[in-house]
Structure formats: C-alpha cells, structure tokens
Amino acid sequence: MSNFAGFTTEALDFYDDLEVDNSKAFWDAHKQVYQDHVRGPMEALLAGLEREFGPAKIFRPYRDVRFAKDKTPYKTHQGAFVATAEATGWYVELSARGVMVAGGFYHAGPDALARFRRAVADDVRGPELERLLAKLSRSHWETGGDRLKTAPRGFDLDHPRIELLRHRSLTVHKSYGFEPIIHSAELATKIKRDWRQVRPLVEWVSGQVSGTTVHLTR
C-alpha cells in the first residue's frame, strides 16, 4: 500500500532555493530535505501507481555535465518515468513550478523514428494519431516535442501531416502548478486519471516505434 500524502511546500521551496544556489554545499546541507520531501514522497506516489501502469524509474538528481557548458551539478526538478517501449511512456515531474505530467516518446533512434514517420504518413494510422491528439487537446493537454524546421527527407512540405512528420519526439503534457491538490493524497488519483487519458497515445506510439501491433484503448 502507498502512504503518499502529497508534496509539501518544503519540496517546492527546496527546488526554488536550489535554482538560486546550485552548489554541492547547498545540496549537502539540504540533502535530508530532498530525501524526506522529494524522493520519499515520489517513491510513495509511484508505488501507488505501479499496479496499473508498471514500475517507474526515478531519475538521478545529478546532472551529466561532461559535455555541457552549464556545469551546475544538480537538476532543478525530480522526474520519474514509466516505460512502455524505448523512451516511450508516462512521466511525472516535481519542480519549483509545481507538478507536471506527460506522456509520449522523448527520443527515437533512426529505425524507430522511421517507423513513426511511416505511421504518420499512412492514410489510416496518421489520421488516427491526429484524432488522439485533438481529443487530448480538448482535455487541456499541450503537444510538444523536438521538431525539424523543415520536412524530413523523403517527405514533401505540402504533406497534409507535415507538422507531425517534423517531430523527432512527440509528447503531451499538463501542468498542475501549485494547485492545492498537489499537497494531498488525491494527487495520485488525479495523475491516475490523466495517465489513463494519455494511454491511447502511449499505446499508439509504443506500437509504432517498436514495430508491434497496436490495440488502442477506447
């Protein structure tokens, strides 16, 4: 059973302060705050969602700065991801801006991206994706992802789904911000409902990028 009771104001304050002082000295002095108010509640939240959605990966709080110009050592958010295929699934994030949820795929290798674009160009599967995204938009989900500025190789600029074909990643996201619910156990129920809304998109994308048959949840 999950003992998730919401995220505290101390969790938000922790990330607010970390954005100002992203240093090892600050982290060491406040590591217990991170454990008690960020990591622990996030683990409890995901434990309560695991039965329906599967196990989650909680991302490390440390940034990979080996090839980055920005050498600040710590991420200013805590993210967690439930995978249904490579780089595809559901996401939840806590930061100084509150709580955000998302779904879709954040990366695709060349073969997976080619399969995705063939599906988008297909006259049956492409319109199906458009309908899924339109339905999510009506429920206040925002579409995002990395996109090319022009048409991908092999596709014309006048293709009816050129905007989707430009995507190198495709996600939808919704922010709860500082709504009172993020401080309560009811947040788990809200995330569960919203992830269910995104399930048809996650299933569609998972099927295309992995090359398996897709059975959409109606």
Side-chain angles (χ1 to χ4, degrees):
M1 296 291 291
S2 170
N3 60 349
F4 179 69
F7 291 108
T8 63
T9 55
E10 285 87 350
L12 303 179
D13 291 343
F14 169 81
Y15 279 114
D16 200 27
D17 293 339
L18 184 62
E19 290 184 356
V20 175
D21 184 5
N22 196 316
S23 68
K24 187 176 186 301
F26 174 87
W27 184 268
D28 288 346
H30 297 84
K31 188 173 182 178
Q32 197 59 49
V33 176
Y34 169 77
Q35 293 292 346
D36 294 344
H37 296 277
V38 177
R39 182 85 185 197
M42 183 66 79
E43 290 176 347
L45 169 65
L46 295 165
L49 297 170
E50 181 172 349
R51 182 173 181 179
E52 179 171 346
F53 298 97
K57 175 183 178 180
I58 300 180
F59 293 112
R60 288 161 50 88
Y62 314 106
R63 296 182 64 247
D64 184 354
V65 299
R66 290 174 297 173
F67 308 107
K69 291 182 179 180
D70 179 3
K71 298 299 183 181
T72 50
Y74 304 102
K75 297 174 184 175
T76 53
H77 62 271
Q78 178 63 68
F81 187 70
V82 177
T84 59
E86 184 178 357
T88 304
W90 293 279
Y91 180 74
V92 59
E93 180 182 290
L94 172 70
S95 71
R97 281 155 290 286
V99 175
M100 183 267 286
V101 290
F105 75 103
Y106 63 87
H107 172 76
D111 291 343
L113 186 57
R115 286 192 292 269
F116 169 77
R117 285 180 173 149
R118 285 196 297 270
V120 172
D122 184 82
D123 288 337
V124 174
R125 292 175 292 169
E128 186 174 56
L129 176 60
E130 288 181 309
R131 290 193 294 271
L132 289 174
L133 292 172
K135 184 176 181 179
L136 288 169
S137 177
R138 292 193 294 271
S139 296
H140 309 294
W141 291 89
E142 296 182 40
T143 301
D146 183 35
R147 299 195 308 165
L148 295 171
K149 292 182 179 179
T150 186
R153 184 177 299 177
F155 296 97
D156 295 329
L157 278 170
D158 61 355
H159 191 284
R161 287 178 294 282
I162 188 61
E163 292 306 316
L164 286 174
L165 287 167
R166 285 184 169 131
H167 278 266
R168 291 183 290 200
S169 63
L170 177 65
T171 60
V172 294
H173 61 275
K174 180 184 289 189
S175 175
Y176 305 151
F178 307 112
E179 292 178 23
I181 196 171
I182 74 169
H183 302 302
S184 74
E186 288 302 308
L187 176 62
T189 302
K190 184 174 179 63
I191 292 175
K192 186 179 294 187
R193 287 197 301 263
D194 281 338
W195 279 6
R196 285 171 180 165
Q197 279 189 338
V198 180
R199 187 188 296 277
L201 174 65
V202 169
E203 291 180 349
W204 190 96
V205 172
S206 295
Q208 309 313 322
V209 301
S210 64
T212 59
T213 302
V214 182
H215 298 287
L216 290 178
T217 300
R218 300 297 181 186

